[in-house]
Structures are given as C-alpha cells and as structure tokens.
Amino acid sequence: MFVIHKMASSSHPLFTSSLRLSTTHSPSSLLFNPIAKQFYRPNSQSFYLFKKPHYRFLSSPAAVAVDPGTAVAADDRNASDDVPKELEKVVLPTNESSHTLLRIRHTCAHVMAMAVQKVFPDAKVTIGPWIEHGFYYDFDIEPLTDKDLKKIKKEMDRIIGRNLPLIREEVTRDEAQKRITAINEPYKLEILNSIKEEPITIYHIGNEWWDLCAGPHVETTGNINRRAVQLESVAGAYWRGDVNKPMLQRIYGTAWENEEQLKAYLHFKEEAKRRDHRRLGQDLDLFSIQDDAGGGLVFWHPKGALVRHIIEDLWKKMHSERGYDLLYTPHVAKADLWSISGHLDFYRENMYDQMKIEEELYQLRPMNCPYHILIYKRKPHSYRDFPIRVAELGTVYRYELSGSLHGLFRVRGFTQDDAHIFCLEDQIKDEIRGVLDLTEQMLLQFGFDKYEVNLSTRPEKAVGDDDIWVKATGALKDALNDKGWAYEVDEGGGAFYGPKIDLKIEDALGRKWQCSTIQVDFNLPQRFDITYIDSNSEKKRPIMIHRAVLGSLERFFGVLIEHYAGDFPLWLSPIQARILPVTDTQLEYCKDVTEKMKASGIRVELCTGERLPKLIRNAEKQKVPLMAVVGPKEVETQSVTVRSRFGGELGTMGVDDFIRRIKDAVDNRTSV
C-alpha cells in the first residue's frame, strides 16, 4: 500500500527550493518564550531526545513546561520505567542555517536519481527537491520495495565514492529540448516547457548523468558523507498532484553533514514514532477512523471524548469570561450563501458536492464565517454596540484527497474553535491585543510556552482601500509590540482580504505546529453588506476579525497526544485514578471508594479480574496517573495505598485525603 501525496507545485521548476513539501522557517523567524520573555531564532533545529524517564510538574496555575512541553515531577524516585524521562537537547543545522547542508541534500537527490537509472534503466525522472530533513525524487517506475531501496543506496555509495564533479552548464531552450528528446524523458520536457526564464541551466554529475536544475550543489559527490545519508521510504505521488495523471514512485531520503547528526536525527525519528498519535490513539483507545464510515472522519471514543469535553469546557469558560457570546449554527446552508461569501468561486475544490432538497441546492459548510455574519445581520447595530464578539466550536467539512489524509492532522470533518469580532477601526488594536492575551493564557494551560509569530501584510492583489490596510496592519503591529512579542514580517503574505497574525507552537520534541490565527477581513463585510449606524446617524461598515486559538480540536488533540506522548497531566487525563483490589474480598469497599471519588468529580474506574501485578501493569500501559491499591489492611483502616505514575509510591492515606490531594493538584495543574 502506498501513501498518495499531492505533488508540490512551483513557479520555476528549476528552483527546487520552491518545491519543498515541508514548511520551513526563514533565518530571521523568531520563537518567543512568554515565561522567560525571550525570543529564539530557529536558524538551527532543536530536538529533545529522551534518555531516561524524568518528569517534573510545576506548581503554578498553568501547566507550563520547564523544557518545551515537558511536565516534570519534583521527586521522580520509583517512577514507572515506561515514563519518558530525562531530556537531552540536540541542536541540528537546518537548510536555512547551513548552506552546505542544503547543497548536500540537493546533490543527494541528483545522486539518487542517477543511481535509480543505473539500477532501473527504464525509470523516467521528474523532480527532486531538498526538503526539511532531506530530499526526495519522483520516478515513473514500477512499485519499489525495501530491497530495491538497498540496491539504490548501494549504487549511491559508489557514485559518492567516485568523487564525480558537479558541473553547471547553460544551454538554449532548443538545445535543452533536443537533449531531453534524445534521452526520451517526457516529464523533463514538460518541466522545460513550463520554465519561463532564460538561459536553461543543466547540472552534470561527471559526464554520465545530467538534470535540468538551477542548483545549488556541492562541488563533487565526494563532499557527501555516505554514512550520513539514508533512504527512508517510498510512497506514491501523482504527477503535478493531479489524480488524473500518472502515479509516480517518490523515494524519500535524509542527509546530514556527518554521522553524528544522522544518529541524532534517527533518535528523534524513533521518539516521534513512539509519540505517533495514530498509534497512541489506538493503544489508549482515544479515537479511530472507521473505514466503514469513510476516510478522514473521526470517531471520538469515550476516553478521547472525555479529554475533548475538558478542552471544550475550558475553552467556553475562558471565552465567556472575555466577553464572547457562544453560538451554535447549522452544518448545512443554501448554496446561495456560499455564492455570496465567495467560497463557491474561490474554494469550490475543497467543498463537497451540493445536495438538492425541495428544488433548492444546499451545501455542507466548509467554514463558519457566513453563519456568524447572518447572526450579526439579524438586527440593526449602533456604534455603541461594539465590539461584538461571537464564538463557536463549529464543525466544518472539507474535501481532501484520500492520500493526503493523516490521522487527526488531515481530516475531512473537524471542529474549529472559531470566533469573529465585529468592531470599529479604532478598536482593532485593543481587540487584537485581547486575542493575543487569550491565546497565551489558553496555550499555557496545555504546556505550550514557546511560539513563533509571523505578521503577513498586503499582497499585490487585495480588496479594501489603502488607508484601511495601513490602519489594520499598523494595529496588528501595535498589538504585538504592546504585548512585547517579537515577530517576523511576511511582506505581501497576507490574504487578499486583510493582514493576519499566525502563531506556531513548539512541542516537546521541538517541532513547530501552526495553531493560532488572527485575520482582519475587509471582504466579507462588503460581500454581505453588513453595516452599523455611527454617531452621525450614517451607515458605516464594521471591521471583521476572524480568529482561532487552538485551530481545530482534532488537530490540537493530535498535537497534545504527541506532545505528552499520551501521558496527559492529571487535570487533562481521561482517567485520573484506578482502584485496584488485591483480591475480590476487598471489592465492595473498592466500589464504595470509587463511588465516593466519582461523587467528588474525579474520573476514576475500578479494575478487577486479574492478579495485582497485572492490574498495575495494565494501568501503567494505559498511562493512568494514579493507582489506589486496596488490601485487607486498607479495608480495615478505611484507606488506600497510592502509587503515582510520576511520583512513585506515595504511601497509605485516607480516602478523603486522597480526594483532596487530587482536587488540589487539578486546581493547581500539578501532579499528586
């Protein structure tokens, strides 16, 4: 079975950097730690490698990690062996920080293509860019196996060992076309036809193989350390990302400057694999995606649903406290609504087919914005009403190719933590600042304390007057400056309808995840003709701000699972404690303890039917934070003996004391 990926597009097929699939950061991007009030430039990549279990928990109200995403226990003696412990930070170069590394990876793609055509002479080549952690190349060839990858790598090693020079040549378009036709490479001919610039550049490996390419490359293949290169996997990829075009074989590889870097990266990969939310979701019985229902549609199991309820309750509470009115709106609407909003013109390929009901066309919603506008339009508004803040955990449906679906990270139905603010021009800054404060407050609850912040400004094609763009962009900058957050400006990177702020969070492995977005919109208020009456009794158009803090609940839950490796902190854990009787003789007392704890709002379950060591091991595998063991002595003294996943053996204590400790820990976001 092959994973189907969309082929990356490029404005210039020779500049393979524009073909990268993974989003990378510019050298001047910044990471911000709101606790230490520091920013970091990610010109190198930090991986957090776990050697021994070592958790510490802070006693502050927010679950803020000491190192990115790590929850830590003040005393980890006797902690469970399968708890991830002890962090070692490994810093690796990136394509942005090391031009040598970028050249190595680009050349590796060419060396791999040359090796493939030596091993499989009938293979046709397409494109081969460098990407975030390595490179790939797409081939028109029969499906490849792991055994084939070994043959290809062996041939790559030979090419590297021959120390062949990389030679750049400029040719005319006619000459390039003549050469490509002579070697019968139809995909390269198509690439050539899409190149607008002159002259055409070619890179040769020795005098044996060449490719259309703009570079850059190392001087010779001998500049590559073959022991720092590894072929990782093969997947399917449609040519040009078009399902109607041929299915190609994409070979992924990773390349580094030396063996130590490769080992560190592979260690990181193993840790990422251990944290894979798809595996943990199954092992911990949190969620599933059922083939019988269709791909990309998430089923929240009882434990996963419990975590979702906790997140939703926190979200609703924090929004209500900050003056948002909570909404519920339909999942479908007349197609005309999406025509007014412009989605049918600009977003149709991501929308599902329309349904005909009583001679009218209806559409599953891909976004919540038009619904919130309709609620705004239900009555006239005065300038005195502003700001108006509305928020909804609204489920939307977007079409994705089956091959692009990926666990909770890429789905077809998901719930956005969506909100819209209607305000006056002079209120933009304060409203944006309020969103930034809310974003920080909420993300800190989950232990995310390092952010990368980007401000995107007006693109070449845009709606709205110059004056309002200047005011809105200035308000976003002022809000960020007022907050004390540094940010990188992406000139011209805004949407056509307004400037925006994007925030990425850093997880326990140092990976960045797009999370929060704040977007000013000059387009929809105009399309829906929403107005208010100003102080001069004249009709004016309000400013509309879209914003999401968590993004989607599904994706955020996936990030949380990987961030914590399934070891949710006590306040967020679906099951906070298990009651474990030594024998069935203690069962009635255990039932009483369980009911008392449930009545106190603690998520607890009683487990029986196995010997005590097996019950303890099962609780550890399910990553239950607390175990209360009950034997004859505990029944006699009306107590429980507590074992903490993070704190080890805590001794015997009364049930009321146990309940109090749990509630205090939950309130303070600490462990017991």
Side-chain angles (χ1 to χ4, degrees), residues 74-327:
D75 184 358
D76 62 355
R77 291 170 296 178
N78 303 318
S80 172
D81 288 340
D82 65 335
V83 180
K85 302 181 180 179
E86 202 170 299
L87 280 165
E88 178 188 1
K89 185 174 180 179
V90 176
V91 179
L92 292 175
T94 65
N95 295 326
E96 288 75 18
S97 68
S98 172
H99 294 298
T100 298
L101 180 61
L102 184 149
R103 290 169 184 269
I104 287 172
R105 288 171 172 172
H106 195 185
T107 304
C108 279
H110 282 224
V111 170
M112 179 173 71
M114 178 178 174
V116 166
Q117 291 196 310
K118 281 185 173 292
V119 177
F120 302 99
D122 293 333
K124 302 300 179 186
V125 293
T126 62
I127 58 172
W130 69 82
I131 52 177
E132 186 178 8
H133 295 136
F135 58 93
Y136 74 78
Y137 211 112
D138 290 345
F139 304 92
D140 190 345
I141 191 175
E142 292 298 314
L144 297 168
T145 65
D146 289 342
K147 187 176 180 181
D148 294 328
L149 292 187
K150 291 178 181 178
K151 292 179 182 177
I152 295 167
K153 178 58 168 64
K154 190 173 182 179
E155 183 59 38
M156 288 178 67
D157 290 345
R158 291 195 190 101
I159 296 169
I160 292 170
R162 291 171 63 194
N163 198 26
L164 298 172
L166 275 291
I167 305 167
R168 183 179 184 272
E169 180 187 11
E170 294 183 358
V171 298
T172 64
R173 185 175 298 274
D174 289 343
E175 176 63 20
Q177 184 173 351
K178 179 181 176 181
R179 294 188 190 183
I180 293 170
T181 303
I183 60 175
N184 189 26
E185 289 286 3
Y187 297 99
K188 288 298 179 184
L189 201 58
E190 184 176 334
I191 291 172
L192 175 66
N193 292 335
S194 66
I195 298 173
K196 307 303 180 186
E197 294 82 0
E198 300 277 359
I200 305 302
T201 56
I202 288 174
Y203 269 85
H204 299 260
I205 299 180
N207 59 0
E208 301 178 26
W209 190 89
W210 59 269
D211 197 359
L212 290 173
C213 186
H217 288 282
V218 297
E219 292 184 0
T220 72
T221 59
N223 293 140
I224 300 170
N225 183 339
R226 62 184 178 84
R227 292 186 177 86
V229 179
Q230 187 172 103
L231 299 186
E232 297 185 286
S233 62
V234 61
Y238 290 115
W239 173 236
R240 297 295 196 191
D242 187 339
V243 296
N244 298 311
K245 292 186 176 181
M247 169 70 72
L248 307 175
Q249 293 291 290
R250 174 171 295 173
I251 302 177
Y252 286 100
T254 188
W256 299 89
E257 296 168 337
N258 53 58
E259 293 174 70
E260 289 70 27
Q261 291 177 4
L262 175 61
K263 288 177 182 177
Y265 167 71
L266 294 177
H267 191 142
F268 163 79
K269 273 190 66 178
E270 282 302 310
E271 182 61 26
K273 182 179 179 181
R274 187 182 73 83
R275 292 167 175 263
D276 191 317
H277 74 280
R278 294 166 298 177
R279 180 184 65 80
L280 288 172
Q282 181 176 355
D283 292 347
L284 302 179
D285 196 19
L286 299 172
F287 73 91
S288 63
I289 295 172
Q290 304 284 341
D291 290 339
D292 291 343
L297 303 173
V298 181
F299 286 74
W300 294 75
H301 299 183
K303 289 180 181 178
L306 263 173
V307 178
R308 175 169 173 163
H309 283 308
I310 296 166
I311 295 171
E312 288 184 352
D313 288 346
L314 175 66
W315 186 92
K316 292 174 183 176
K317 178 177 181 292
M318 293 177 68
H319 280 75
S320 295
E321 290 173 349
R322 288 183 173 268
Y324 286 82
D325 293 319
L326 303 184
L327 306 177

Side-chain angles (χ1 to χ4, degrees), residues 434-444 451 503 516 549:
V435 174
L436 295 177
D437 289 342
L438 173 61
T439 298
E440 180 182 20
Q441 180 187 6
M442 185 169 294
L443 293 177
L444 284 173
Y451 315 140
L503 185 148
S516 309
V549 176

Side-chain angles (χ1 to χ4, degrees), residues 528-580:
F528 282 91
D529 192 27
I530 63 174
T531 60
Y532 69 94
I533 304 301
D534 72 4
S535 58
N536 296 319
S537 299
E538 295 179 354
K539 277 190 175 182
K540 293 289 179 66
R541 209 173 299 289
I543 297 295
M544 182 178 182
I545 300 172
H546 307 258
R547 48 110 300 200
V549 176
L550 305 179
S552 81
L553 293 185
E554 286 76 7
R555 188 168 185 271
F556 187 71
F557 186 46
V559 173
L560 281 178
I561 293 171
E562 299 201 1
H563 178 61
Y564 290 115
D567 261 314
F568 297 110
L570 183 64
W571 73 274
L572 192 58
S573 181
I575 302 298
Q576 295 171 317
R578 274 189 179 178
I579 310 300
L580 309 178

